[in-house]
Each structure stands twice: as structure tokens, then as C-alpha cells.
Amino acid sequence: MTSSEAGATGSPPSDGVEDARPVVEMTGISIEFPGVKALDGVDLRLLPGEVHALMGENGAGKSTLIKALTGVYGIDSGEILVDGEPHRFSGPGEAQAAGIATVYQEVNLCENLTVAENIMLGNEPRRLGAIDWPRTRRRAAEHLATMGLDIDPASSLGSHSIAVQQLVAISRAMVVDAKVLILDEPTSSLDADEVARLFSVVRRLRDQGVAILFVSHFLEQVFELSDRMTVLRNGVRVGEYRTSELTRTELVSRMIGRSMEVLEDLEVRTEHAVATTQGAPFVQAVGLGRRGAVQAFDLDVHEGEVVGLAGLLGSGRTEVARLLAGADRADTGTLRVRGALARLRNPRAAISRKIAFSSEDRKAEGVVADLTVRENIVLGLQAERGWLRRLPDRQVDEIVQRYVEALNIRPANPDALLRNLSGGNQQKVLLARWLATAPELLILDEPTRGIDVGAKAEIQRLVSDLASRGMAVLFISAELEEVVRLSHRIAVMRDRQKVAELTNTDTVGVDDVVELIASGGKR
Amino acid sequence: MTTLASSRRGAPSPDGLPSVGRRLRLDRRYLPVVGTLVVFALLLVVGGARYDNFLSVGVIANLFINNAFLIVLAVGMTFVILTGGIDLSVGSVLALSGVTAAYLLRAGVPAGVVIPLVVLVGSLIGLLVGAMVHVFEVQPFIATLAAMFFARGLCFLIAPESIPIDDETFVALASWDTWAGGQWRLTSSVMIALAVVAVAFYLLHYTQFGRTVYAIGGGEQSARLMGLPVARTKVLVYVISGTCAGLGGLLFAMFSRSGYSLTGVGMELDAIAAVVIGGTLLTGGTGFVLGSVLGVLVLGLIQTIVTFEGTLSSWWTKIVIGALLLVFVVLQRLLALRRS
């Protein structure tokens, strides 16, 4: 897919808002990493009192553009104007001083400090040069109150949920009276109520004249919240659009540079076929459980079958996966692999039985950021062979080439360092690593989290392809649409126990699963 | 002392929000320090029960006098460990500072010049270490290991033999003390050590620099993205540790009235032990300078008990410290696990 296919260039909309002078105007921004051209002459302008969405697939350059604006990355060429003045920030501190505050995707606060300390850190009121703690706490409490957060400012930040930490991070951004607030994927770990609360805060800030740059993969949220949007693809700006003048279909095709029909074609291929679950299951868990993690459950996964695990965050989905993958040891119950009793003491034991587990936390438990794409892909295969029997280079090249193509890993450069890849592409590399070991059961924990539509459709198609070729797949996702679309059977988790299991048919919809989660299996 | 810290930092805000219940509930962060306090009290009780004269003002006063230099070292080490680093050079820098002081005093340089000079030597080595850690991104372990060998080597270059100090001003300063009655004695070195502790407490809890130290320990990347001056702070903690080591060398020279190249071998490990026993996590971000003082006092008290026992080899001190360190590290681990 090349950028020449798109050809769609947005004409900047014009009305009253346009008369306002942009708070931020970035022109011709280019940044190059070794082996990757991350941004190529990108323009972006933010007006006061608007929510501006920055859209694009993973690897399109959204995060890089944000980091260029906040001074985390230096720019190779281009110009950044803030309030009409040229600026080149050497770090987030300078950007903040100029009124640009950022809330990152992974909450970047200090869990070892209290909520109040985190909010005020670096901006504490002083008296005679010393930090005035009573006033610091009072001001932190005021900021929490304006956010509608009812938590103890003296409590440790680590004791709160990610959602609360996110709101604390925004409170922190508002301490500096930001003119520009950048929200990088703020909603990826929030539930519906928390999103609503966040949005009301964002709207209030917008009405106060703050320019908000909003990045999200949830198209619905973007259309609900944003006034204008800039679309990026492969490090190039596709165009700037008014949200009200763009349909979802148009937006998606601009983001991926393919017409919608192609995307729909992908989705048709991921439609589930009714499973044939005869014969002995590949894995069979009976009464498997672990104290404090998940209550005893039964679960079978057959060859050629996709079993979906549905449930809310923290319902025990991941814990089930970890037990089946040997990452945690079970206290109770038995696990049979191909009918033979298996006691999985560690992941190695699971791997030797051809069970592969792709963790939800790809940063900490998955990819090795300092190795290349090539090294990451063959890591699992090499480990399986043992370090003494080195894979021949030619074979490695072949394997790497095959997966880079099959999974459409971008950039298609096996020698690029993994840290320079976007989240979605890192996820694909992780998948490739497990696929290279030819597993018979593939456990995927949130493989599509934080991934754009195009990559998501690709991964979904891959999963259904793998299953149709005989692989057993356990698929975990917070997005119920995805679970319903892909799975042959769906196990529903709630409050750390398995509450229901249903066989997927064409009549089963997301509503049915939601109802099961809500009712706890008693319908 | 520690209870003072707890009540200060956890103090109810003036808006009268916290209830009695909240004040009674102990913040988890203070748990390790409270553990150290309990050990300290236990040692006092055990010592008091076994030996007459143990629970005397004199013993406590001597505890401070004999360990003043270690208190200063531990304070500097606390800054470094709070950021998640380590400083292995302090023992050697302490020796270098002592030897330099003795050498210059013997050469007739006035004490008024020598004293600030040797402290500055420590700061300078700290600055070099900080630059290595920050600019060249050398692991703190390696950077300070290099500084350790470097400083120790310099000691021998200056004087391999022990140099006695008989400069009048210096001796007068070293032997100055104030009697608050009975056996209680407050020497100049104890005063200096306590002043260092007070300054460190102020820096850590009442300045932006101190808050940045904690933030770096909690997550360097986060601290950087919050716009805090990470680079400057990381260099500064090593400067502080070096300065404390220089000052510690001065105190040790006052204590021993001499400067000798072989002093303080392994003392950096005593300082690290004191900091860890005082409840500071080696991973950074959690800990208090007053805990480190308490850690030094625990070490000193163990030594005192072994001395009182009389028949025990002094190496028993090391065995007990080793065991205690192990227990504390395991306890910290358990606390951290329960939190997550």
C-alpha cells in the first residue's frame, strides 16, 4: 500500500473558528530514526477552544509527532510556532513552560508518590523557598475537585486504578494552566463511565479556550468529541478535515489508504464458520484454579477452534490464560494436553507442549525493544532449538521474510530496532515470533489493544486463517465485537470466575454476551 | 526522630479533612522505617537486660560520636539510592579526604583552608561520577567502582603511611564538645553530622530538587516526561554523595587524629547496609534520610553489644549485620509483593 493510492487531500475547512490564530502551528516536520523515516514534512495546527483529533494507523507517526511537539524528540527539519513565536523545545519541561501539557498513553506518573505530590510535582507553591506542604495539598485537592475526582490526595498513586491515574495526570496538566493539552490514547484502559467523565472534563477545558489534541483508536469517541482532525499515514499528512464533514468510512479509508471495500472484504473473511468440535480437545482444563487469581473453571479448546474469553477488565481473563500457558501454577484441578495429564510448572513446560502465550503486556513481557525485528522473530524458535544449535542465516532470512510479508510488518526492514516500531507493528512481531515456533495452541491476550483498524483486521484474519488450518486458539479481547466475530465458542468471565459458555452461531450478538456478563450467567 | 518525620510528612492538612482514623492508619511507606525503629528498641532492651550500665546516656552519646562519619556517608548514599543508583566510591573518597587533610596540615597549610578544600575534593569526585553516569550513561555501579579505585590509588600516591594530625586549630575543633550534663557529650563531629541530616531532610522534603530525586526513583522516564530537571538532579545526587564522603573523611580524621590510606576499606558497604536497614528500597523512590540515620544507629548498637559481651569476636558484628540485612531485604520484598 503506497501513499500514492490515496490521492485524497483535505481542503482546510473555513468558518469562524478559522479566524482565531493557531496556538500551535507545525510546518514541514521531518524526523528520521535509523532505518525509519518516521515523519516526512508533516503540518499540524491547533486552534484555541477546539478538540483536534490526530488520526492514523499504528506507525503512521502520531506518537512521533506528539513527541516532536513536546520536545522529547528533536526534529530534523521543519518549524514549530507557539503563539506565533518559533520554538524548539529541548524537553517536556520547556514545552510545559510554554503551556503545552501532555498526558501519555501509558500513565507517566510516579506510583511511589502520593496523588497530591504527583499533581503538584515541579509546581509546588513555596514559602521562603521551601515547599509549602499545606498549600500544596490544598491546591492538589482543588484540582481534583474540579476534575470531579473524589479521592484522598494523600493516598499513594499506585493504589488507584489506571482510570483514576489518567484523570490525575490531566489534573497535573491543568496545574500549569496549559494552553494546549495533548491526550495520547487516554481512553484505552477506561470503561464507559470513566470515558464519559473524561470527556466532560475535556469539553469544559475546550470551552475555557484550551486547544486539545486528542489521539484515540476508538472512532466513535473521535467523532463524538473532536471538532477537526488531521490524518496521518506512513509519516505523511493525508489532510486536515472538519469532523462533521467526514463520514467514518471516508476517515478509515484515508487512514489506511485503501478503499472501504477492501477492508470489508477482510472482515467478510473473518466471519466465523460454525465449528466442528468433535473429537478430543487439544487442551482440557477440569476444575483448574488458583487462589486469589481465578476460581476453578472447566475449559476445552479443540483443534481448529477459536475460543473467545469475554469479560470486563480484571474479570479473570488474563489469569485463565496464564494458567493454561504455565505462567502461573494452578492450585487445583487438572490440565490435559491431547489427553495426557500435564502439569505446567513454567512457560517452558507449556512451550514444549506446543502452547504459545502472547501476553497482553507486550512491553514488559513480550518483545525485546533493543533487538532487531529479525532477532525478535527468531527468538522463540532459537530458544526452542537450544542455543548451541544456531539457526542457519539463510533459514532465518527466509522465516523473517515470510512473516514480515504475511503480517505486513512495517517498516519491512528486518534490521530495524524494535523500539523504533509502532505498537501495532511490535504486536505483529510478537505474533510472528510465536507463529514461527509452529504452536498447536495459541493463546492471544489482547492482541489488538491499541491497534488501528487496518492492523486489527489483519490480525483478525490471521487468527481465523490459523484456526482453519487446524490451530487451536484462545482469544482474549476487551472488544466484544471482535470476540463474537472470531470465536466458535465464547467463555464468559466475571469476578474471577467463569460464569457461562456459549456456542457461537449467527444469531449470537454482542448484546447476548453483554447480558451474560451483566447477569453473571443467569439469564 | 523518625516519628517526627512521620508526623511531619503525614501531618493532617489544615483544612481539617483527616479524621482520627486516618491519622492512626500508618502510611505503608513508613512501615520499613517503623521496622527499623522496632529493631533499634529491641536492641536497646536486650542490651539493657543483659548488661548493667548499658542503658546509660554515655552509651547513647558514644553511639553518635563513634558513628558520626557513617551517618554523614549514609545520608549522601540515601540520595543516590533514592534515585535508583549506588555509590561505591564513598569509602575511598573518605580515605582520600582524610589523607589529604593530614598531608596538607603537616605541610603547614592552615586548617581554615584545608577543611573546605578536602570537602571540595569529595564534591569534585562526585561531579566526575555524576557526569559519567549522566553524560556517558555509564552504570552507576561501574562509574563509582572506577571512582573507588581512582580515589584509593590517589591516597597511596599522596602518602602510603599513616600521618598523625597535630595542627592546633584542627585538634581544637576535633576535641571541642559541649556538656549537657552528666555523661552526655555532644562533640563537634556529632553537631556536624546532625546538621548534615537536617539539611538533607530539608532538601529531600522541602525543595523541588528533593521531590525530583523521589520522582526519578519512581520512574526516570516519567520524571523526564513530567518536565522535571532529571539530568541536573542525577548529577547532583552524586555530587552530594561525594561531598558527604569528603566531609565524612574530615570527621573520621577528627575522630582518629590521623589520615591513613587504608581507612574506610569496605565502608561504602556499611553505608549501603545502613541505608537499606533504614528502609530505603535499592530500586529507588522509597525511603527516608532519618531511616538511614536509624540504620546507622542500629549498626552501632550491634557493635556496642558485641563489645559489651567482651568474649565475642568483633566479627560477630558483621554476622549480625549480614543476617539483619537479609531479613530486611526479604521483608521489603514481601511488602512490595503484597502491594502489587
Side-chain angles (χ1 to χ4, degrees):
Chain A
M1 148 177 85
T2 59
S3 51
S4 61
E5 271 178 57
T9 39
S11 52
S14 58
D15 75 339
V17 186
E18 307 304 312
D19 301 337
R21 189 175 66 166
V23 217
V24 169
E25 204 165 5
M26 301 172 84
T27 36
I29 305 294
S30 295
I31 291 185
E32 201 162 340
F33 296 129
V36 189
K37 183 116 189 170
L39 289 179
D40 191 0
V42 173
D43 299 347
L44 174 74
R45 50 194 198 112
L46 301 178
L47 304 176
E50 71 159 358
V51 177
H52 191 113
L54 186 58
M55 302 300 295
E57 288 192 283
N58 282 95
K62 301 180 306 256
S63 297
T64 314
L65 187 62
I66 288 173
K67 286 183 171 162
L69 176 57
T70 54
V72 177
Y73 295 154
I75 53 176
D76 295 334
S77 66
E79 193 182 31
I80 301 175
L81 297 180
V82 179
D83 274 339
E85 302 269 321
H87 274 278
R88 215 170 246 219
F89 304 118
S90 65
E94 279 185 26
Q96 273 172 33
I100 300 174
T102 316
V103 176
Y104 291 93
Q105 183 172 5
E106 285 99 17
V107 180
N108 279 287
L109 295 177
C110 294
E111 294 199 356
N112 58 327
L113 300 178
T114 66
V115 170
E117 284 170 322
N118 268 293
I119 293 176
M120 301 303 295
L121 203 55
N123 304 292
E124 296 94 344
R126 318 269 186 96
R127 198 178 50 200
L128 303 173
I131 292 174
D132 184 345
W133 282 109
R135 251 175 75 205
T136 301
R137 292 200 195 89
R138 210 160 46 228
R139 280 200 43 198
E142 285 164 16
H143 282 287
L144 286 175
T146 47
M147 295 288 292
L149 260 183
D150 182 27
I151 55 173
D152 181 0
S155 56
S156 155
L157 183 82
S159 65
H160 295 291
S161 69
I162 298 287
V164 171
Q165 293 189 20
Q166 199 102 50
L167 291 171
V168 170
I170 297 178
S171 310
R172 175 179 165 74
M174 294 336 290
V175 171
V176 293
D177 279 331
K179 287 179 291 191
V180 178
L181 176 63
I182 302 171
L183 300 171
D184 188 0
E185 290 282 357
T187 57
S188 56
S189 28
L190 306 193
D191 66 29
D193 282 350
E194 291 162 340
V195 168
R197 187 152 81 172
L198 175 76
F199 281 11
S200 74
V201 169
V202 169
R203 288 197 183 98
R204 199 164 64 231
L205 293 175
R206 176 191 63 189
D207 295 342
Q208 288 166 13
V210 178
I212 289 147
L213 185 62
F214 180 68
V215 180
S216 173
H217 280 118
F218 299 100
L219 294 188
E220 291 310 314
Q221 296 179 358
V222 170
F223 277 98
E224 185 188 334
L225 192 65
S226 72
D227 303 310
R228 284 192 312 142
M229 53 178 75
T230 292
V231 179
L232 298 181
R233 187 172 70 242
N234 292 339
V236 179
R237 192 186 82 149
V238 177
E240 186 191 83
Y241 310 92
R242 177 171 302 288
T243 306
S244 53
E245 291 167 2
L246 206 62
T247 66
R248 285 157 180 68
T249 324
E250 284 167 347
L251 173 62
V252 169
S253 58
R254 261 156 218 177
M255 279 164 62
I256 64 175
R258 274 179 286 196
S259 68
M260 205 56 198
E261 293 80 62
V262 180
L263 195 72
E264 273 160 7
D265 187 38
L266 282 182
E267 296 208 345
V268 170
R269 291 180 61 181
T270 61
E271 281 298 327
H272 65 266
V274 177
T276 46
T277 55
Q278 75 266 26
F282 176 73
V283 284
Q284 182 177 33
V286 179
L288 206 63
R290 179 179 161 88
R291 211 152 45 89
V294 61
Q295 292 185 27
F297 64 92
D298 299 344
L299 188 71
D300 299 348
V301 187
H302 294 78
E303 280 179 18
E305 183 187 37
V306 179
V307 174
L309 273 187
L312 302 175
L313 219 69
S315 60
R317 299 176 320 210
T318 298
E319 287 74 6
V320 168
R322 291 179 66 87
L323 284 183
L324 294 183
D328 287 330
R329 230 184 287 177
D331 306 325
T332 60
T334 55
L335 182 71
R336 284 172 189 280
V337 179
R338 290 199 182 284
L341 209 57
R343 303 196 59 185
L344 304 177
R345 293 176 180 281
N346 50 43
R348 217 186 152 77
I351 292 168
S352 72
R353 288 178 175 82
K354 295 279 174 197
I355 297 175
F357 173 46
S358 160
S359 156
E360 66 176 331
D361 189 354
R362 64 172 171 262
K363 220 164 98 182
E365 297 177 3
V367 296
V368 187
D370 285 323
L371 293 182
T372 62
V373 169
R374 174 192 161 95
E375 286 162 329
N376 266 289
I377 290 180
V378 293
L379 198 59
L381 198 56
Q382 183 68 69
E384 197 184 39
R385 282 169 63 104
W387 296 106
L388 290 176
R389 291 166 53 224
R390 199 166 174 280
L391 279 167
D393 278 346
R394 208 152 47 89
Q395 201 181 332
V396 171
D397 287 339
E398 206 177 294
I399 292 167
V400 171
Q401 192 58 37
R402 174 147 44 96
Y403 286 106
V404 166
E405 272 171 24
L407 302 188
N408 191 16
I409 293 170
R410 272 172 297 161
N413 172 8
D415 295 321
L417 285 186
L418 212 71
R419 62 156 85 242
N420 292 335
L421 267 61
S422 68
N425 281 302
Q426 291 188 6
Q427 185 67 47
K428 289 186 196 166
V429 170
L430 188 60
L431 261 174
R433 177 199 299 169
W434 288 118
L435 294 178
T437 64
E440 290 170 12
L441 170 64
L442 181 61
I443 301 173
L444 297 173
D445 194 358
E446 295 278 8
T448 58
R449 178 155 74 190
I451 289 193
D452 54 83
V453 259
K456 200 175 265 180
E458 280 169 18
I459 285 179
Q460 290 170 359
R461 183 187 43 149
L462 190 78
V463 167
S464 76
D465 277 0
L466 289 170
S468 69
R469 276 188 264 138
M471 196 182 285
V473 179
L474 184 67
F475 187 83
I476 302 175
S477 174
E479 280 183 51
L480 295 177
E481 292 85 1
E482 195 174 63
V483 173
V484 170
R485 195 157 63 220
L486 281 177
S487 309
H488 301 119
R489 271 186 305 130
I490 300 170
V492 179
M493 302 294 298
R494 179 178 138 146
D495 300 335
R496 299 187 178 272
Q497 57 175 315
K498 183 179 154 191
V499 291
E501 184 175 313
L502 71 165
T503 304
N504 203 353
T505 59
D506 287 332
T507 55
V508 172
V510 172
D511 297 346
D512 301 295
V513 179
V514 170
E515 198 177 306
L516 276 174
I517 293 174
S519 66
K522 296 178 280 287
R523 38 171 175 179
Chain B
M1 235 178 219
T2 311
T3 43
L4 173 82
S6 320
S7 63
R8 280 274 272 290
R9 304 239 313 114
S13 39
D15 46 17
L17 226 132
S19 61
V20 179
R22 213 185 98 199
R23 212 176 309 166
L24 285 179
R25 196 196 68 206
L26 190 68
D27 194 315
R28 295 190 76 120
R29 292 181 295 174
Y30 302 127
L31 273 181
V33 185
V34 170
T36 317
L37 196 64
V38 169
V39 170
F40 184 69
L42 273 178
L43 286 172
L44 279 180
V45 169
V46 168
R50 276 182 72 91
Y51 322 106
D52 302 331
N53 302 329
F54 186 85
L55 283 179
S56 64
V57 180
V59 168
I60 302 298
N62 277 328
L63 200 57
F64 278 95
I65 294 167
N66 294 338
N67 292 294
F69 60 92
L70 194 56
I71 288 179
V72 173
L73 284 192
V75 165
M77 188 67 77
T78 308
F79 279 85
V80 175
I81 292 184
L82 277 177
T83 65
I86 195 93
D87 192 346
L88 298 179
S89 69
V90 292
S92 299
V93 173
L94 175 135
L96 178 64
S97 155
V99 168
T100 314
Y103 180 83
L104 290 177
L105 288 171
R106 189 176 63 178
V109 181
V113 176
V114 170
I115 289 173
L117 194 72
V118 295
V119 176
L120 275 180
V121 166
S123 316
L124 192 68
I125 292 182
L127 184 65
L128 287 177
V129 169
M132 275 210 279
V133 169
H134 176 67
V135 181
F136 301 106
E137 293 184 0
V138 179
Q139 297 281 339
F141 187 97
I142 297 299
T144 58
L145 189 69
M148 172 180 129
F149 286 121
F150 175 73
R152 185 67 69 187
L154 273 184
C155 288
F156 283 90
L157 207 62
I158 293 168
E161 78 287 352
S162 175
I163 308 172
I165 297 177
D166 39 26
D167 179 89
E168 276 174 27
T169 327
F170 193 84
V171 171
L173 177 67
S175 49
W176 178 88
D177 57 15
T178 171
W179 293 70
Q183 290 176 296
W184 181 249
R185 218 152 58 93
L186 198 63
T187 63
S188 51
S189 55
V190 175
M191 300 272 277
I192 292 173
L194 292 182
V196 167
V197 172
V199 170
F201 184 85
Y202 176 83
L203 279 179
L204 279 178
H205 297 298
Y206 288 93
T207 65
Q208 205 199 8
F209 162 73
R211 306 320 300 161
T212 309
V213 168
Y214 279 96
I216 293 176
E220 195 177 326
Q221 186 61 21
S222 298
R224 192 167 286 137
L225 289 176
M226 280 176 168
L228 299 173
V230 171
R232 194 175 67 205
T233 307
K234 269 181 80 181
V235 175
L236 258 180
V237 293
Y238 289 97
V239 173
I240 287 178
S241 180
T243 310
C244 283
L247 196 60
L250 207 62
L251 296 189
F252 198 83
M254 283 161 68
F255 182 69
S256 64
R257 303 281 162 86
S258 67
Y260 182 37
S261 309
L262 278 179
T263 44
V265 174
M267 200 181 277
E268 59 280 346
L269 301 182
D270 289 336
I272 294 170
V275 171
V276 171
I277 289 175
T280 302
L281 293 184
L282 277 173
T283 45
T286 316
F288 303 99
V289 69
L290 295 175
S292 301
V293 174
L294 212 53
V296 173
L297 295 183
V298 165
L299 297 190
L301 213 50
I302 292 169
Q303 183 120 44
T304 312
I305 287 178
V306 170
T307 316
F308 263 76
E309 191 64 36
T311 56
L312 281 177
S313 153
S314 67
W315 288 104
W316 274 98
T317 316
K318 301 282 179 201
I319 292 174
V320 176
I321 292 173
L324 201 59
L325 201 56
L326 211 63
V327 169
F328 265 79
V329 171
V330 170
L331 279 181
Q332 287 183 357
R333 192 74 207 130
L334 289 180
L335 265 176
L337 280 181
R338 261 187 46 193
R339 192 175 309 181
S340 68

